[in-house]
């Protein structure tokens, strides 16, 4: 039994070392610590568990596994895919264990790069996730959103938000709190646009057929040196994003996030599409949306299945039909002008459009 245990530990160490060897040199210590801690978190102090995991990583049951170097690549890929899939190495082996030898490096490289971001975030100084935010998301939003899944959780105004990467879900997330182990999550200042139940807009009331959206309280997106450089909001799954660029005075940009439910399980007439039409003044009896105390400017609505923006955005974002389907809004100031971007996710597929 002692011999089997030693072999199991040796195989696990070899897989770790092979991953570390593919990691950029400045982050190899982070990666080593991260994987060692992962072993511990997986209860690998237990000899039986170590052997079980080691047995999954053996390639003796894989047809055409190749020479030892190729078999090691297969072990590395199974581990990297397995921990991304909720620590299910058995499923990962079934999915990728028989890939052609020539395809292995192309699959391994991006996964090592992503796990390096996680390792540096958790065990290092977090500079990689910081640069993802400052260099890519803030300065190149379209590029970032087309290539990365972004999820918004609970948000807060000012410097009360974190940006971090979750390798196991292959997504970046914005939230007021960070998981305890994500010590290097990036802490940033933002203009936060909170979600508001439709009936809580002053003057709208809970009457489905009558009321007014003309006094929405806005979040002001400024362009001064002390104003937040980015805008965030919570996840959209039927909600409407409203904004207005004032044409007088300082030309402020105002924004709001209106939700189609009432907080008690009820939904506004017509759901998300009906809400967008009400806000745009398309429903008799309901006064069109506007921001309280605002100057002249066009009030714009980007909702689920409908929008008053010009084509092709006039169809809004897709109405939700599946669990893994949502939309996020992200705003950023580039050359002191605001850009607002939408990322819609459906079963992992990303659709990115510029709203403003």
């Amino acid at each position: 039994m002692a011999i089997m245990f030693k072999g199991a530990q040796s195989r696990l160490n070899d897989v770790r070392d092979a991953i570390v060897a593919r990691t950029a040199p400045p982050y190899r210590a982070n990666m080593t610590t991260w994987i060692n801690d992962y072993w511990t978190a997986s209860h690998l102090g237990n000899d039986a568990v170590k052997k079980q995991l080691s047995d999954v990583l053996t390639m003796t049951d894989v047809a055409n596994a190749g020479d030892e170097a190729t078999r090691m690549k297969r072990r590395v890929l199974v581990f990297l895919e397995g921990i991304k899939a909720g620590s299910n190495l058995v499923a990962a082996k079934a999915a990728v264990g028989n890939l052609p030898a020539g395809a292995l490096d192309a699959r391994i490289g991006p996964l090592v790069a992503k796990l390096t971001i996680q390792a540096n975030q958790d065990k290092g100084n977090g500079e990689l996730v910081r640069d993802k935010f400052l260099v890519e998301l803030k300065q190149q939003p379209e590029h970032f959103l087309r290539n990365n899944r972004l999820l918004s959780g609970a948000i807060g105004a000012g410097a009360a938000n974190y940006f971090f990467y979750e390798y196991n879900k292959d997504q970046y997330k914005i939230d007021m709190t960070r998981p305890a182990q994500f010590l290097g999550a990036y802490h940033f200042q933002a203009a936060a646009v909170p979600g508001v139940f439709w009936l809580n807009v002053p003057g709208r009331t809970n009457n489905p057929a009558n009321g007014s959206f003309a006094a929405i309280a806005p979040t002001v997106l400024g362009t001064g040196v002390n104003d937040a450089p980015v805008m965030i909001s919570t996840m959209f799954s039927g909600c409407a994003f409203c904004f207005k660029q004032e044409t007088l005075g300082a030309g402020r940009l105002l924004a709001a996030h209106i939700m189609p439910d009432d907080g008690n399980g009820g939904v506004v007439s017509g759901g998300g599409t009906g809400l967008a039409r009400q806000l745009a003044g398309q429903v008799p009896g309901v006064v069109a949306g506007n921001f309280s105390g605002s100057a002249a400017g066009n009030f714009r609505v980007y909702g689920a299945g409908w929008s008053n923006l010009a084509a092709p955005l006039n169809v809004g974002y897709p109405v939700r039909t599946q669990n893994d389907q949502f939309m996020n809004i992200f705003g950023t100031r580039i050359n002191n002008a605001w850009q607002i971007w939408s990322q819609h996710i459906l079963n992992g597929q990303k659709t990115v459009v510029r709203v403003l």
Side-chain angles (χ1 to χ4, degrees), residues 1-321:
M1 190 68 174
I3 295 176
M4 288 196 305
F5 162 69
K6 182 178 180 180
Q9 183 67 67
S10 177
R11 176 171 290 146
L12 296 175
N13 290 344
D14 288 346
V15 170
R16 177 201 62 203
D17 294 345
I19 294 171
V20 171
R22 288 173 174 265
T23 303
Y27 309 109
R28 288 177 177 172
N30 298 161
M31 184 68 83
T32 300
T33 303
W34 193 93
I35 294 176
N36 285 342
D37 287 354
Y38 179 84
W39 294 147
T40 302
S42 298
H43 309 293
L44 294 191
N46 184 308
D47 295 357
V49 175
K50 285 185 180 181
K51 183 177 186 304
Q52 183 181 39
L53 181 56
S54 174
D55 287 348
V56 175
L57 293 173
T58 184
M59 294 295 131
T60 57
D61 56 344
V62 174
N64 302 314
D67 59 17
E68 176 53 30
T70 303
R71 291 197 297 275
M72 180 54 71
K73 291 179 183 180
R74 295 187 189 280
R75 294 183 192 113
V76 165
L77 182 56
V78 168
F79 175 75
L80 293 172
E81 288 283 5
I83 62 174
K84 191 178 72 172
S87 299
N88 192 338
L89 271 64
V90 174
K93 186 175 183 178
V96 302
N98 287 294
L99 286 177
L104 297 174
D105 284 322
R107 290 288 294 267
I108 292 171
L111 293 175
V112 170
K114 290 177 178 180
L115 188 57
T116 301
I117 295 172
Q118 181 84 67
N120 175 252
Q121 172 185 269
D122 298 2
K123 308 300 179 183
N125 60 8
E127 64 182 353
L128 296 179
V129 75
R130 177 201 66 199
D131 289 348
K132 278 288 183 180
F133 184 90
L134 293 176
V135 178
E136 291 191 34
L137 179 57
K138 186 178 182 305
Q139 298 297 328
Q140 306 170 63
E142 182 176 15
H143 170 79
F144 179 91
L145 294 171
R146 290 194 184 282
N147 291 281
N148 301 279
R149 175 178 168 126
L150 179 66
L151 179 67
S152 293
I155 60 168
N161 300 279
Y162 290 93
F163 175 78
F164 50 86
Y165 179 61
E166 298 174 306
Y167 177 87
N168 63 326
K169 300 176 182 177
D170 194 16
Q171 71 180 14
Y172 290 87
K173 188 173 182 180
I174 290 172
D175 206 294
M176 288 177 62
T177 59
R178 61 165 176 80
Q181 70 272 28
F182 293 2
L183 297 177
Y186 181 63
H187 201 205
F188 67 97
Q189 180 189 13
V193 181
V196 177
F197 297 129
W198 66 274
L199 49 70
N200 288 344
V201 172
R204 179 59 187 87
T205 77
N206 63 352
N207 187 321
N210 292 280
S212 174
F213 277 120
I216 298 172
T219 296
V220 179
L221 308 182
T223 56
V225 294
N226 295 319
D227 291 319
V230 297
M231 182 218 75
I232 59 175
S233 192
T234 52
M235 184 176 71
F236 289 67
S237 56
C239 312
F241 179 70
C242 308
F243 64 96
K244 178 180 183 179
Q245 183 75 64
E246 293 180 326
T247 56
L248 298 175
R252 301 178 304 169
L253 179 62
L254 312 177
H257 175 163
I258 310 300
M259 303 163 65
D261 59 302
D262 61 9
N264 294 307
V267 179
V268 70
S269 178
T273 301
L275 173 64
R277 292 178 61 83
Q278 286 190 24
L279 285 161
Q282 299 297 304
V283 178
V286 179
V287 178
N290 202 353
F291 292 110
S292 177
S294 64
N298 293 318
F299 183 84
R300 300 300 189 187
V301 180
Y302 184 62
W306 198 88
S307 172
N308 63 357
L309 293 167
L313 298 182
N314 59 311
V315 296
Y317 64 92
V319 175
R320 191 179 194 188
T321 58

